[in-house]
Amino acid sequence: MAAFKPSPAAWLQYIVMVVGLGAVTLGAAAVGNGDPIVTLAPVLALTVVWCILKMPLRYLAIAVLYLVLAVDYTPERPQSMFWPSPLFPLGKLLFTQMHELVGIGALRFPLIDGLIIGAIGIGIYRRATKSKIDPPVVPIPRPLAVVLALSFFSIMWMEVWGIVRGGDIKNSLWQWHQAAVLPLVAMMYQYSLRGPEDWPLVAKTIIAAALTKSAVSTYFALVIVPAQGLEVEYTTCHSDSMTFIFALTVCITRWLEKPKSGHAIRGIIIMVLVFIGMLFNDRRLAYVSLVGGLAAAYFFNPWTPLKKALTRGLIACSPLLVVYFLVGWNSNSGAFKPVQTFKSIIEGQHAEGELDYRDIENLNLIATWNTNPVFGTGYGHEFLEPYPLPNIAFVFPTYRFHPHNSLLGLLAFGGWFGFTGVWMYLVVTVYLAARSYHRAYAAEHRTACLVIVGVVASYLNQVFGDMGIISYICTFQVAVASVLAGKLAMVTGAWPWPQREKVLGLTRAAPEEVPPTGATAA
């Protein structure tokens, strides 16, 4: 076979590309004063453009999912800003406002938003031109698409309502940005994911991100913190709890749905590695989310022999658990650390006889909501402070625009009207996952349904306790879960889809012939 020899024209194109890219890179280095992020931006941009033009969209969407979950999430001050991990530059590139990186005032959005919009545009273009690069995708049920759109327009209504009432438009944009991006993220995954067959790829990607963050957390806790003599409250960031819990839930539910030794061994290894990082990150909400996700899986699961044995075991051990909690409630021994964690969740971290900061903040949010329970204050307004809070304006000047409890914050800013419109998609997601679970034959599909419900439970915990509604990490996971719930519902028959049999290659079994009345067997 003759060796391939590029034509002179091909060589010329290659040389022009290399020289041009080199010149642009040098120019970027000059503009950015040697900043490695700005210097590498042209190379990364060319790579992304090539991937978008030549590869199926799902690979770009999966790569974006991994990057969002794995790199340093700069909006939440990763590692308390004491140590930038090797992935910090990518995090800065993804999440920092572009005008801060390149000095162009009009680019007041992060690169991640550009990737989302670009992916949606490519998906629409390929569908309109009937491109063969991407295979056909399973649609999502129309009600799910409607409530996702409703979420976006409800946020826009809350913005207009707040500004009309004299709200601060500059601060309002930071109150809702990630929540408004969520339907767009869902649209990106609707165009890119083929159907439930992409669930294993999604699960492996998020598990890989959890292992990456666990490695960063462990190294920071065991190497950097002792070397610098630091005292830190967390080792990666708050929102990583959702990623850790996703990985743990997948390992547990996959074995529950298909108890194989291979699933058990791989699951135990992954769980140990992820749990170490989660332990060092020291977020109480992570444990609450884990219990919530497993409780959801327990109640959804039918009464299998394993569930019956587990239930009997819990009932048998309940007296010992009660004694353990009673003895450990006021103990400082390390043996009772789980009890102390549970106690801090119930009572808060405060001196005896005093209200916790979060409790006072919650009372203020409820008081704000009571001023207009139907429509709320709208975005651009601070929550009221009838119960004085410790003044943290010296470190967080806009703290009254961004309550820790995003759930009560949504009620305060949107009332019943906005709250229902923004979060109706969560109800539909759980509904579709529940119907799909009881109609799915494949263990992987049932596992996906349980994990989806766990993701919603974890998201609600993160929103209730730690500003989860303005986190890209939380936003991406719940958006992917919602889209997968819709695609599972279509494939399993949990939602009517007239083209289901044709698209999936199913055939109806011929009905058995019924002998006429009065006929006798030969």
Side-chain angles (χ1 to χ4, degrees):
M1 181 181 296
F4 171 73
K5 293 183 179 180
S7 66
W11 275 113
L12 180 61
Q13 291 175 0
Y14 176 75
I15 293 171
V16 170
M17 182 190 72
V18 172
V19 172
L21 185 60
V24 173
T25 302
L26 290 174
V31 171
N33 295 320
D35 189 321
I37 302 299
V38 179
T39 303
L40 293 175
V43 177
L44 294 174
L46 182 63
T47 303
V48 169
V49 169
W50 184 89
C51 291
I52 289 175
L53 294 177
K54 299 296 183 181
M55 298 174 65
L57 195 56
R58 68 179 179 277
Y59 295 127
L60 173 63
I62 289 297
V64 170
L65 178 64
Y66 174 78
L67 289 173
V68 168
L69 303 185
V71 303
D72 285 10
Y73 187 54
T74 52
E76 291 187 9
R77 296 174 53 83
Q79 296 82 250
S80 299
M81 299 305 287
F82 287 117
W83 173 71
S85 83
L87 295 173
F88 182 86
L90 281 175
K92 183 179 179 182
L93 178 63
L94 275 180
F95 301 116
T96 303
Q97 297 285 307
M98 293 300 294
H99 73 91
E100 296 180 18
L101 296 177
V102 299
I104 302 176
L107 301 180
R108 294 188 173 274
F109 59 88
L111 177 60
I112 184 62
D113 287 357
L115 290 174
I116 294 168
I117 299 299
I120 293 172
I122 293 296
I124 294 173
Y125 173 79
R126 288 181 179 175
R127 179 170 294 189
T129 58
K130 296 181 170 44
S131 171
K132 300 298 182 183
I133 297 177
D134 290 308
V137 299
V138 174
I140 60 174
R142 183 168 296 177
L144 179 58
V146 169
V147 293
L148 283 168
L150 176 64
S151 178
F152 178 83
F153 288 112
S154 296
I155 291 170
M156 293 300 101
W157 178 86
M158 289 167 61
E159 170 70 3
V160 173
W161 173 245
I163 300 306
V164 167
R165 298 181 66 250
D168 182 338
I169 188 170
K170 181 179 179 181
N171 281 300
S172 72
L173 300 178
W174 295 100
Q175 290 179 293
W176 55 259
H177 181 87
Q178 287 82 356
V181 166
L182 190 147
L184 300 179
V185 177
M187 185 184 295
M188 178 178 72
Y189 286 105
Q190 158 58 17
Y191 282 127
S192 59
L193 298 180
R194 295 167 295 180
E197 63 265 37
D198 284 332
W199 153 251
L201 180 60
V202 171
K204 291 174 183 176
T205 300
I206 300 181
I207 289 173
L211 291 170
T212 303
K213 279 298 182 73
S214 181
V216 170
S217 172
T218 304
Y219 181 83
F220 179 64
L222 297 181
V223 178
I224 303 299
V225 170
Q228 298 185 14
L230 303 173
E231 290 186 8
V232 295
E233 293 186 358
Y234 56 92
T235 52
T236 55
C237 74
H238 295 60
S239 297
D240 286 335
S241 296
M242 269 197 73
T243 310
F244 292 143
I245 297 307
F246 185 102
L248 296 175
T249 306
V250 169
C251 294
I252 294 171
T253 55
R254 193 180 187 208
W255 180 80
L256 287 175
E257 289 298 330
K258 199 170 185 179
K260 293 171 56 178
S261 58
H263 290 171
I265 294 171
R266 285 192 298 271
I268 290 172
I269 293 172
I270 293 171
M271 288 172 65
V272 169
L273 294 175
V274 170
F275 190 81
I276 291 172
M278 188 176 82
L279 184 67
F280 284 129
N281 202 36
D282 196 24
R283 298 291 89 197
R284 293 174 297 167
L285 278 178
Y287 304 105
V288 177
S289 297
L290 179 60
V291 172
L294 294 180
Y298 175 86
F299 288 114
F300 270 76
N301 211 275
W303 283 99
T304 61
L306 178 62
K307 181 175 178 178
K308 292 177 180 178
L310 179 62
T311 304
R312 294 191 186 103
L314 289 173
I315 294 173
C317 293
S318 57
L320 295 176
L321 291 174
V322 171
V323 172
Y324 176 75
F325 268 78
L326 289 175
V327 174
W329 194 259
N330 294 313
S331 173
N332 294 322
S333 171
F336 298 104
K337 182 67 181 297
V339 180
Q340 293 306 310
T341 300
F342 179 78
K343 180 180 178 181
S344 69
I345 294 171
I346 299 299
E347 295 186 351
Q349 296 176 323
H350 54 84
E352 186 174 355
E354 297 180 2
L355 283 175
D356 186 72
Y357 179 95
R358 303 290 182 87
D359 295 331
I360 301 173
E361 185 184 72
N362 290 345
L363 291 173
N364 287 326
L365 289 170
I366 294 171
T368 306
W369 177 30
N370 282 337
T371 62
N372 194 338
V374 178
F375 297 112
T377 65
Y379 283 128
H381 293 268
E382 298 177 307
F383 63 78
L384 303 179
E385 203 171 345
Y387 307 98
L389 281 164
N391 188 359
I392 60 172
F394 65 97
V395 292
F396 190 10
T398 59
Y399 73 97
R400 287 174 61 192
F401 287 98
H402 306 286
H404 289 85
N405 192 326
S406 303
L407 189 151
L408 288 180
L410 191 58
L411 282 168
F413 301 136
W416 284 117
F417 189 82
F419 182 90
T420 303
V422 172
W423 271 4
M424 182 66 75
Y425 77 92
L426 292 176
V427 177
V428 177
T429 296
V430 173
Y431 173 76
L432 293 174
R435 286 180 60 86
S436 300
Y437 178 81
H438 294 289
R439 288 163 176 78
Y441 291 100
E444 283 291 344
H445 292 176
R446 294 196 301 273
T447 299
C449 294
L450 294 179
V451 173
I452 288 167
V453 176
V455 166
V456 173
S458 180
Y459 178 70
L460 291 175
N461 276 324
Q462 202 66 28
V463 167
F464 184 84
D466 230 337
M467 301 184 186
I469 203 168
I470 57 171
S471 166
Y472 277 105
I473 291 176
C474 302
T475 294
F476 264 74
Q477 291 185 61
V478 78
V480 171
S482 185
V483 170
L484 285 171
K487 291 180 182 286
L488 280 162
M490 300 295 264
V491 169
T492 60
W495 190 263
W497 182 24
Q499 291 81 27
R500 175 172 173 266
E501 295 174 358
K502 178 181 177 181
V503 173
L504 301 180
L506 303 176
T507 56
R508 289 183 179 271
E512 295 183 3
E513 294 187 5
V514 180
T517 305
T520 58

